[in-house]
């Protein structure tokens, strides 16, 4: 797509409040992210454990990390024959294959996430994007309310660095400029990026959209309750290393690449546990 959208930190004239002028869907009734108000959660006993396939093995090939101009993205599409990474269960209507993961972050440790909990923003949020295996392309999946399933993980500042993020963070210096990509030095088990296994059964679930234009309302959202710990220095590596596409003279640091919470309207947010 060639939609001229951006974040306010780049230029308020093309920031999130203007996206609906480019794409009417961005002003729709089922937009993401949302504030998760814990007072209004609806317990859904049918939301059992998510089944993770391939999250436990490091894939044999290389993984490519990309600065796509608005986020840092790791492509997870496996070459034919390679191990497939997928999720199912957890109330999802089928099996979903992993496409990519990416991050949204702030400029201070007090902002950065897209979803908020009781009005509180966390410093960063990871999204792992999956496509319903019954659709062949992203374009096709975007036309269906259960076409995509995104897993969202919050981060919180921890004293100790989180070594599970060393490979990704180590790659950032090579994708400082928009359009740059790097093959990571090593692969790793995707599951190591998630909260502790024992906490993965605690999540929020609601029906929403992509959080960037075209804002397709095609996403079953799963947001884990438990944040992942990451040190201040590791967070700072995102803030200070990666840049938005150069528009003026000096390249602009990639910060605050999050969309603010959108109206919940008639939707409910469900929780898997009390
Ligand atoms: S999110 O998880 O809701 N933030 C896309 C996938 C997930 C989310 C947002 C967008 C997506 O696939 N967008 C269309 C393709 N993108 C590439 C990309 O994956 O993100 C092209 C683009 O935007 O122009 Cu960068
Ligand atoms: Zn995202």
């Amino acid at each position: 797509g060639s939609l001229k959208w951006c974040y306010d930190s780049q230029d308020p004239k093309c920031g999130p409040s203007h996206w609906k002028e480019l794409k009417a869907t961005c002003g729709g009734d089922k937009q993401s992210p949302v504030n998760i108000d814990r007072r209004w959660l609806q317990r859904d006993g049918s939301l059992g454990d998510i089944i993770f396939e391939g999250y436990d093995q490091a894939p044999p090939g290389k993984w490519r990390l990309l600065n796509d101009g608005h986020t840092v993205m790791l492509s997870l599409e496996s070459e034919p024959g390679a191990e497939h990474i997928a999720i199912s269960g957890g109330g999802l209507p089928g099996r979903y294959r992993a496409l990519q993961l990416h991050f949204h972050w702030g400029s201070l440790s007090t902002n950065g996430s897209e979803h908020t909990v009781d009005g509180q923003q966390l410093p960063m949020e990871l999204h792992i994007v999956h496509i319903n295996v019954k659709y062949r392309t992203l374009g096709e999946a975007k036309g269906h309310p259960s076409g995509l399933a995104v897993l969202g993980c919050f981060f919180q500042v921890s004293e100790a660095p989180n070594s599970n993020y060393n490979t990704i963070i180590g790659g950032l210096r090579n994708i400082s400029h928009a359009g740059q990509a790097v093959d990571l030095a090593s692969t790793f088990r995707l599951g190591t990026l998630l909260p502790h296994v024992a906490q993965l059964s605690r999540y929020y679930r609601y029906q929403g959209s992509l959080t960037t234009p075209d804002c397709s309302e095609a996403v079953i959202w799963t947001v884990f309750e438990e944040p992942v710990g990451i040190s201040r220095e590791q967070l700072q590596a995102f803030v200070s290393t990666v840049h938005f596409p150069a528009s003026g003279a000096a390249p602009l640091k990639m910060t605050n690449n999050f969309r603010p919470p959108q109206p919940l309207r008639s939707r409910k947010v469900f929780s898997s546990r009390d």
Side-chain angles (χ1 to χ4, degrees):
S2 58
L3 295 172
K4 279 268 173 271
W5 63 273
C6 74
Y7 292 103
D8 285 341
S9 50
Q10 294 170 270
D11 179 357
K13 291 196 289 296
C14 51
S17 61
H18 293 278
W19 293 353
K20 58 180 179 296
E21 300 156 22
L22 302 163
K23 202 69 197 172
T25 317
C26 299
D29 286 336
K30 292 186 166 153
Q31 289 293 291
S32 293
V34 296
N35 175 48
I36 298 164
D37 188 330
R38 289 193 293 184
R39 290 169 306 178
W40 296 107
L41 286 174
Q42 183 152 322
R43 171 82 209 284
D44 181 347
S46 76
L47 296 177
D49 287 358
I50 295 165
I51 298 162
F52 294 92
E53 285 175 65
Y55 270 68
D56 254 339
Q57 301 129 270
K62 287 255 158 91
W63 267 344
R64 187 139 255 249
L65 193 69
L66 168 74
N67 174 347
D68 82 353
H70 47 259
T71 187
V72 166
M73 181 170 116
L74 181 66
S75 174
L76 299 172
E77 297 220 65
S78 48
E79 305 100 65
E83 223 58 60
H84 38 233
I85 304 171
I87 54 171
S88 59
L92 296 170
R95 186 162 169 263
Y96 289 75
R97 181 171 56 83
L99 292 177
Q100 49 108 332
L101 64 80
H102 63 266
F103 301 88
H104 302 268
W105 64 90
S107 49
L108 304 162
S109 56
T110 49
N111 67 357
S113 70
E114 297 211 296
H115 291 91
T116 57
V117 178
D118 294 342
Q120 291 283 105
Q121 209 177 9
L122 284 106
M124 186 156 81
E125 189 171 328
L126 162 68
H127 290 157
I128 311 182
V129 184
H130 303 73
I131 182 171
N132 193 319
V133 295
K134 75 179 178 188
Y135 304 121
R136 284 183 35 251
T137 63
L138 183 68
E140 188 186 359
K142 284 199 296 192
H144 301 271
S146 55
L148 299 165
V150 183
L151 302 180
C153 289
F154 293 121
F155 290 80
Q156 72 182 3
V157 174
S158 61
E159 281 307 315
N162 183 338
S163 61
N164 296 325
Y165 278 85
N166 285 354
T167 304
I168 289 176
I169 292 170
L172 296 179
R173 72 184 72 230
N174 299 108
I175 57 162
S176 160
H177 299 288
Q180 289 182 323
V182 65
D183 281 331
L184 293 182
S186 54
T187 56
F188 48 85
R189 291 175 287 120
L190 204 51
T192 63
L193 302 182
L194 297 179
H196 302 109
V197 180
Q199 297 296 325
L200 293 178
S201 59
R202 305 187 66 90
Y203 57 85
Y204 308 115
R205 166 63 52 75
Y206 77 99
Q207 186 67 48
S209 75
L210 297 179
T211 66
T212 60
D214 57 13
C215 308
S216 295
E217 295 181 339
V219 181
I220 301 179
W221 276 96
T222 301
V223 179
F224 294 109
E225 265 184 53
E226 166 104 331
V228 173
I230 195 171
S231 70
R232 231 173 259 288
E233 292 69 27
Q234 290 181 303
L235 274 172
Q236 192 58 32
F238 283 85
V239 173
S240 62
T241 313
V242 194
H243 297 83
F244 283 126
S247 52
L252 190 63
K253 290 197 188 315
M254 189 180 281
T255 60
N256 300 310
N257 57 349
F258 58 86
R259 185 188 200 188
Q262 303 299 301
L264 194 57
R265 310 255 187 232
S266 61
R267 292 174 292 173
K268 282 205 169 87
V269 181
F270 298 92
S271 68
S272 64
R273 296 288 176 89
D274 281 321

